[in-house]
Amino acid sequence: MKIQIFTLSLLCASALGASGEVLDISTHSTSLVLNAVEGSPLKIVYYGERLAPADLDAIHEATGMWQDAYPAYGYNPKAEAALSVTHSDGYMATDLAVSHTARTSRPDGSTLTTVTMTDRNYPFTVDLFYLTRPGSDVIETWTAITSDEKKPVTLNRFMSGYLPVRQGDVWLSSLYGSWANETQLTEEPLPHGVRMIKNKDGVRNSHTAHAEVMLSLDGRPSETSGRTIGAALCYPGNYKIFIDTDDGDYHHLFAGINEENSAYQLKKGETFTTPVLAFTYSPDGLGGVSRNFHSWGRKYQLHNGTASRPVLLNSWEGCYFDINEPTMAGMMADIAEMGGELFVMDDGWFGDKYPRNVDNSSLGDWVVDTRKLPHGINGLLDTADSIGVKFGIWIEPEMTNTASELFEAHPDWVIKAPALDNRGSRGSTQLVLDMANPAVQDFVFNIVDTLLTSYPRIAYIKWDANDPVNNAGSQYLTSDRQSHLYIDYHKGLLATLERIRAAHPDVIIQACASGGGRANWGLMPYFDEFWTSDNNDALQRIYMQWGTSYFFPAVAMGSHISASPNHQTFRRIPAKFRADVAMSGRLGLEMQPKNMTDDERRVVRRAIEDYKKVRHIIQQGDLYRLLSPFDRKGVASLMYVTPEKDDAVFFWWKTETFMNQQLPRVTLDGLDPDRLYTVTELNPIDRRPLAVEGKTYSGRYLMANGLPIPNTHDVEYHQNTDYASRVIRLTAKE
Ligand code: DGJ
């Protein structure tokens, strides 16, 4: 029987435009316009530059995109859809029409616009949400899908959002990569057919591709100009972003949870809420979109995003699993002596029956190995206190090993189908705990809660996750809900993180996942930062950090000075260059300081001293990317500017060396043309200061001409290397 439940009316029509049909979702500089006519499909009419009221009316009456705002499989089945449902009677046609709209101003100043769309034939509704926040040009959209059908329905596809983009000369910028080579940039004109970016790891989702894209509407992407749209799916699990270009006028961008092997069943009365798709528009090219994401992220998405981050030493590359009290104390003393503020003890500190000496045992047994640390964590905290640094600790709470007391007690807690063996990947024995299981959620919450309540002096947690789902299947979910595994895993993870943050809002937590496997905005409300990559080679980091900066601010990007030769590439890079690259993110160290030469120590000490003076600019300032390493011009360069434009830090790194090479002069950006800026080089190593040192130039001059930067450093003959880099502060005169 077909049920007609279309009874609601437009609630606040007067707020929505003269005709009651136009939903104007504007931010400071952008407008999204929807056409919401009761009983008709919701249409997206416009997205881009903020519209004047006159244009808003004209668009409503005439031009505009007029694409379905949330296309569902049913009518027009040849097109891609955001939603595909098998209804309780077995039919797959969904026919959504607007039944209700509402706009709510929330106490935090944000505005939530809700459009309820009801199926004409089934008691099945989709609420489509658009959230705008003060001072931000990012719009967040998501949906809540509710079934009141008597029998279960199956959601076959359930995207977070859809955006039509007019065809023309549209280019896609996206990030691909791999472990130790994350966030490589690719730019391509959008082809006909489908361009798919996806992840199916189950646990980590930003190694091989990233859940964020930019679309440059006016041809080849530019940093400074051209209408540009950016979109980021805020979700830590399997995702899919695809752009379908068919024979119509539009590219069709869809982003959401990857529905492959994840069909989701809804019983009567159940609601499925999709993750947020955050999108923005800027006429100022890629740089404009990045700055929109950075300021939105710091203010609204990143945990404690506006707070400054300490300079730290992480023990991993310094001693790997070889944790013991003298080594920890030595590292703490060394980082304190160099001006650092925090020490993080990485993997290897735990395990009783199964000591964690290599990577094939002990995960889940979160007890101190007193053979290595006889005075326990309190002993380490006392040492840290006496030295004057804060203390942090590594955990990997979602994982276990077959060689662990946890696995012996709870073999049913790991992810695997009954028919499969426990095949691990890291160390051949590592397994993923089933976060869909509430008992596992409690266990994970308790690991963190117990650690932080037993040792309230712990200031930082590095939360790692080093395995994908290897053996598909949940021992917790019933057989009819096995396809919920990936989604329920991440629901469970997010719910657990929510509990952890409610209890422990102040501890700094880093999201790490085999390096940069968890750089995604969906996790960032619970994390203060992410680990960018297990590759700390400064040269390769320039590329990875460049890609990362497309969507994430420096404050969130762990960036460490490591040893030379580097442990991943074996490249030998002088300390100055390593420091100058690491300073462009959240600065830290990842090495055994006792192996540093006096020269290295001096350079790093000065880098930390200088970084502390300018970190508010780097961590909280506006990013201007000036010359891309991917352009292969021999130099990469970027700068950060305070929002007041009264202080800036300029980074310049040579990426290759050839004799008599003409390196391009880099022009600056983001300064106030009418202010005068004084030049101070940070952490200089040259015998003579730069010719421009202490001189004052107008912002106008600097943005038109840049600064002359020598190709090499002026150092003693034996200190010459093939590396050169500069960090320059530009301070506006009062
Ligand atoms: C992977 C991380 O990315 C590393 O930084 C380190 O914490 C190791 N795991 C420890 O096992």
Side-chain angles (χ1 to χ4, degrees):
M1 190 183 69
K2 291 193 172 179
I3 309 158
Q4 179 55 267
I5 55 160
F6 187 78
T7 52
L8 300 163
S9 62
L10 286 169
L11 238 201
C12 37
S14 59
L16 307 180
S19 63
E21 295 173 349
V22 178
L23 276 177
D24 171 18
I25 299 163
S26 283
T27 63
H28 181 266
S29 310
T30 74
S31 290
L32 171 71
V33 180
L34 304 173
N35 183 278
V37 177
E38 186 178 318
S40 299
L42 180 71
K43 296 287 179 185
I44 176 164
V45 181
Y46 173 85
Y47 180 54
E49 194 75 27
R50 189 183 162 107
L51 294 175
D55 286 329
L56 198 59
D57 287 345
I59 277 170
H60 173 56
E61 268 150 37
T63 54
M65 299 193 276
W66 296 99
Q67 302 290 307
D68 278 359
Y70 195 67
Y73 181 80
Y75 287 119
N76 193 18
K78 69 181 194 305
E80 289 290 346
L83 178 70
S84 160
V85 185
T86 304
H87 292 281
S88 50
D89 59 6
Y91 286 95
M92 293 185 65
T94 299
D95 182 11
L96 298 174
V98 175
S99 56
H100 179 225
T101 68
R103 179 162 291 176
T104 327
S105 297
R106 309 205 300 187
D108 60 2
S110 62
T111 302
L112 181 66
T113 305
T114 308
V115 181
T116 303
M117 297 175 292
T118 304
D119 194 280
R120 291 178 210 265
N121 306 305
Y122 300 97
F124 182 91
T125 56
V126 176
D127 288 309
L128 190 48
F129 301 101
Y130 294 94
L131 182 70
T132 55
R133 303 183 189 258
S136 174
D137 279 326
V138 169
I139 298 176
E140 295 164 47
T141 187
W142 70 99
T143 65
I145 303 163
T146 304
S147 171
D148 250 323
E149 298 183 34
K150 280 205 184 100
K151 289 198 206 143
V153 304
T154 305
L155 307 182
N156 307 308
R157 180 182 281 174
F158 30 87
M159 294 282 109
S160 291
Y162 159 74
L163 213 55
V165 175
R166 185 71 169 77
Q167 283 204 48
D169 189 8
V170 180
W171 283 57
L172 170 72
S173 300
S174 61
L175 302 164
Y176 70 96
S178 184
W179 172 80
N181 188 28
E182 291 88 345
T183 40
Q184 299 301 306
L185 175 67
T186 180
E187 295 176 331
E188 60 199 309
L190 270 179
H192 271 84
V194 173
R195 173 69 168 90
M196 171 79 73
I197 296 164
K198 49 101 185 148
N199 170 273
K200 298 206 273 183
D201 183 282
V203 177
R204 312 155 301 177
N205 78 358
S206 57
H207 268 138
T208 52
H210 255 250
E212 303 93 29
V213 293
M214 289 200 206
L215 296 176
S216 300
L217 311 190
D218 298 314
R220 194 175 277 278
S222 147
E223 275 297 333
T224 51
S225 64
R227 298 168 303 150
T228 310
I229 290 173
L233 185 74
C234 307
Y235 184 63
N238 295 354
Y239 66 82
K240 204 174 226 188
I241 297 182
F242 66 95
I243 300 139
D244 182 36
T245 304
D246 56 19
D247 57 347
D249 284 345
Y250 290 89
H251 301 286
H252 305 279
L253 169 81
F254 297 86
I257 292 176
N258 192 334
E259 77 279 4
E260 275 181 59
N261 303 311
S262 290
Y264 211 88
Q265 227 186 67
L266 280 188
K267 289 194 185 131
K268 182 173 163 50
E270 281 185 340
T271 297
F272 182 86
T273 304
T274 65
V276 165
L277 171 66
F279 59 96
T280 191
Y281 165 87
S282 171
D284 301 325
L286 306 168
V289 165
S290 293
R291 287 187 291 279
N292 286 356
F293 271 112
H294 294 178
S295 65
W296 163 80
R298 281 189 302 252
K299 258 196 254 167
Y300 299 120
Q301 197 72 2
L302 179 66
H303 187 261
N304 271 337
T306 54
S308 114
R309 303 296 197 259
V311 176
L312 62 85
L313 167 67
N314 182 288
S315 69
W316 181 239
E317 289 192 9
C319 64
Y320 294 102
F321 294 102
D322 198 6
I323 300 276
N324 58 58
E325 282 180 355
T327 303
M328 297 299 98
M331 286 183 159
M332 288 186 223
D334 281 329
I335 188 62
E337 188 277 327
M338 285 186 279
E341 299 149 313
L342 173 80
F343 170 72
V344 183
M345 177 172 68
D346 209 284
D347 201 350
W349 59 269
F350 54 94
D352 180 17
K353 179 174 170 189
Y354 298 98
R356 176 79 167 172
N357 295 327
V358 283
D359 66 0
N360 64 8
S361 73
S362 326
L363 295 175
D365 301 352
W366 301 107
V367 289
V368 182
D369 184 345
T370 47
R371 289 153 294 207
K372 296 180 180 177
L373 302 168
H375 299 93
I377 293 183
N378 270 328
L380 296 168
L381 287 162
D382 289 344
T383 308
D385 275 352
S386 68
I387 287 170
V389 284
K390 295 213 158 79
F391 181 81
I393 195 163
W394 178 96
I395 50 173
E396 193 175 357
E398 298 150 81
M399 305 283 160
T400 190
N401 293 100
T402 46
S404 73
E405 293 184 65
L406 179 72
F407 181 72
E408 284 170 357
H410 298 287
D412 53 320
W413 279 9
V414 302
I415 290 184
K416 107 179 174 63
L420 299 184
D421 299 330
N422 278 313
R423 282 194 199 160
S425 51
R426 193 180 191 201
S428 306
T429 60
Q430 184 161 329
L431 300 169
V432 184
L433 295 174
D434 188 352
M435 290 299 294
N437 183 343
V440 173
Q441 294 167 23
D442 285 345
F443 171 76
V444 170
F445 171 77
N446 285 327
I447 294 166
V448 182
D449 189 51
T450 307
L451 205 53
L452 293 176
T453 41
S454 313
Y455 309 107
R457 287 179 289 169
I458 290 180
Y460 179 107
I461 285 179
K462 176 172 174 178
W463 178 310
D464 210 342
N466 289 303
D467 249 30
V469 167
N470 288 306
N471 319 305
S474 169
Q475 303 191 68
Y476 168 74
L477 294 169
T478 50
S479 56
D480 59 332
R481 297 216 152 192
Q482 284 298 308
S483 61
H484 293 200
L485 168 63
Y486 297 113
I487 292 171
D488 286 1
Y489 181 96
H490 287 280
K491 264 194 198 168
L493 173 65
L494 292 171
T496 308
L497 289 165
E498 190 75 41
R499 281 169 75 192
I500 289 172
R501 273 314 188 184
H504 306 286
D506 296 328
V507 66
I508 300 175
I509 312 185
Q510 180 189 70
C512 174
S514 320
R518 274 192 166 165
N520 181 285
W521 277 121
L523 279 177
M524 291 302 121
Y526 311 102
F527 292 90
D528 301 69
E529 61 177 35
F530 53 80
W531 187 220
T532 313
S533 175
D534 272 348
N535 183 349
N536 293 303
D537 174 284
L539 185 61
Q540 199 166 344
R541 272 283 180 138
I542 293 174
Y543 295 81
M544 293 188 275
Q545 296 185 177
W546 193 270
T548 303
S549 81
Y550 267 47
F551 297 92
F552 299 97
V555 67
M557 184 176 70
S559 180
H560 294 181
I561 304 170
S562 63
S564 178
N566 177 267
H567 290 197
Q568 291 78 32
T569 61
F570 305 102
R571 209 186 323 260
R572 290 169 195 274
I573 300 183
K576 163 71 176 158
F577 192 90
R578 284 180 272 145
D580 282 1
V581 172
M583 281 177 75
S584 66
R586 194 279 290 131
L587 176 64
L589 269 69
E590 182 100 11
M591 59 161 80
Q592 171 49 281
K594 77 169 190 227
N595 297 337
M596 293 165 86
T597 63
D598 290 348
D599 273 355
E600 287 181 313
R601 204 176 258 269
R602 198 173 48 249
V603 168
V604 171
R605 195 185 294 117
R606 178 71 191 267
I608 294 175
E609 183 189 329
D610 284 350
Y611 184 79
K612 288 201 279 194
K613 291 183 200 145
V614 295
R615 75 175 135 194
H616 63 286
I617 311 171
I618 295 165
Q619 295 183 358
Q620 300 296 328
D622 292 326
L623 169 69
Y624 292 85
R625 285 180 298 259
L626 306 173
L627 184 55
S628 170
F630 294 98
D631 287 349
R632 315 253 173 220
K633 299 276 192 241
V635 172
S637 178
L638 53 79
M639 64 190 285
Y640 298 96
V641 186
T642 60
E644 300 75 28
K645 299 192 182 295
D646 60 354
D647 222 340
V649 184
F650 165 78
F651 289 89
W652 183 98
W653 308 287
K654 204 162 68 157
T655 51
E656 61 184 29
T657 290
F658 295 98
M659 280 306 289
N660 289 332
Q661 191 180 10
Q662 274 74 49
L663 297 176
R665 172 81 76 91
V666 178
T667 53
L668 275 49
D669 201 358
L671 300 172
D672 181 340
D674 297 324
R675 292 183 86 165
L676 296 174
Y677 294 89
T678 306
V679 174
T680 313
E681 183 180 7
L682 303 181
N683 201 4
I685 57 163
D686 298 53
R687 285 178 294 199
R688 274 173 294 275
L690 285 174
V692 293
E693 179 72 20
K695 302 230 165 19
T696 295
Y697 301 91
S698 71
R700 191 179 315 281
Y701 173 84
L702 292 169
M703 292 193 287
N705 300 288
L707 290 168
I709 308 285
N711 285 16
T712 54
H713 286 286
D714 173 19
V715 291
E716 298 291 339
Y717 183 79
H718 74 277
Q719 285 174 329
N720 276 310
T721 72
D722 52 345
Y723 285 89
S725 56
R726 304 281 168 174
V727 184
I728 292 173
R729 184 175 189 175
L730 298 152
T731 313
K733 284 183 108 175
E734 289 305 316

